[in-house]
Amino acid sequence: MSERVVDARGSFCPGPLMELISNMKMMSVGDTLELLSTDAGSAADVPEWIKKVGHEMLDTEQDGEGTWHIRVRKAK
Amino acid sequence: MSGMYIICLSGAREKLQFAAMAASVAAVSGTEVDVFVSMNAFPYFIKGHRKEAPNEGAMGKIMAERNVPPFYHIFEQAVELGDARIWACSMAMDVMGVKENGMEDIVAGPMGLTKFLSDAEGAQILTF
């Protein structure tokens, strides 16, 4: 199982989502990914996409500098 | 799940941007997406044509100054990550004198309006 970090800070919708998806395509089932994003819309949209396509949301939090850390696990 | 059919006519940044966003987000979320490009949106899909579109209003200007992903790149992602299909209007190809091999690689092929509307019958069509 591996964990990768995708830094999409500074990118606007749908940039962070697309970066997440292109990385998830290269991952194996069970691998986790942490997406860094400064786009509040993506912080809401990415969990929505994860739910819709059937992957697993681990957690979402915003740090003191305003960056969202969205952690997901590839489930299929 | 029924598909999404998008018709792109405007050559303005804002409309191309939103069409690309709708196409990519729907395509990566399991919806089959077909995009039909014609009129002023058409030339951006000709090989070698510039991919920067003029702003229609203030929002386009702001988008151009910020780190907003370029519309053409989003269309590429729609095709690569979501299997969206982009069809070149056969009328526009005739008018512009462009052959199929003169279209960018992200274009699936030429398409007549009659077939596109027939495929889209009963489904939602978004026009930009």
Side-chain angles (χ1 to χ4, degrees):
Chain A
M1 301 295 158
S2 72
E3 168 148 2
R4 67 169 72 197
V5 177
V6 175
D7 189 350
R9 286 176 295 181
S11 179
F12 290 93
C13 172
L17 176 65
M18 293 301 156
E19 287 192 41
L20 171 111
I21 293 168
S22 60
N23 273 276
M24 283 189 90
K25 286 210 163 189
M26 296 183 279
M27 289 161 47
S28 304
V29 171
D31 288 353
T32 59
L33 180 152
E34 180 176 349
L35 178 71
L36 308 183
S37 173
T38 45
D39 181 52
S42 296
D45 262 10
V46 167
E48 193 61 38
W49 182 83
I50 291 290
K51 194 173 113 192
K52 183 169 168 70
V53 300
H55 294 300
E56 187 186 344
M57 251 331 277
L58 298 176
D59 54 67
T60 306
E61 60 175 340
Q62 191 177 24
D63 68 21
E65 290 169 351
T67 298
W68 292 93
H69 297 253
I70 305 163
R71 292 184 60 243
V72 304
R73 178 180 285 123
K74 181 163 173 160
K76 58 179 196 178
Chain B
M1 194 176 295
S2 66
M4 176 182 281
Y5 293 83
I6 296 174
I7 298 178
C8 279
L9 302 177
S10 169
R13 180 193 302 274
E14 292 90 332
K15 292 206 174 77
L16 285 162
Q17 186 80 19
F18 206 87
M21 288 167 66
S24 61
V25 172
V28 298
S29 302
T31 301
E32 279 198 28
V33 175
D34 288 278
V35 181
F36 185 80
V37 296
S38 187
M39 298 301 174
N40 295 323
F42 177 84
Y44 299 105
F45 296 88
I46 296 173
K47 238 173 222 165
H49 189 280
R50 70 187 159 84
K51 308 303 180 198
E52 279 285 299
N55 309 319
E56 192 175 51
M59 192 68 177
K61 186 168 178 288
I62 295 167
M63 286 196 305
E65 292 164 358
R66 301 280 182 89
N67 190 22
V68 174
F71 77 85
Y72 192 80
H73 181 56
I74 304 176
F75 273 125
E76 286 176 322
Q77 289 176 322
V79 172
E80 286 164 15
L81 301 177
D83 297 325
R85 290 167 298 231
I86 299 176
W87 302 102
C89 171
S90 52
M91 177 279 292
M93 289 175 70
D94 288 342
V95 169
M96 302 278 293
V98 185
K99 301 286 180 217
E100 190 173 348
N101 62 11
M103 300 303 298
E104 291 284 5
D105 291 340
I106 65 165
V107 174
M111 168 83 74
L113 179 60
T114 307
K115 164 125 175 66
F116 188 80
L117 291 180
S118 164
D119 290 350
E121 196 174 346
Q124 190 176 26
I125 301 181
L126 304 178
T127 304
F128 295 92

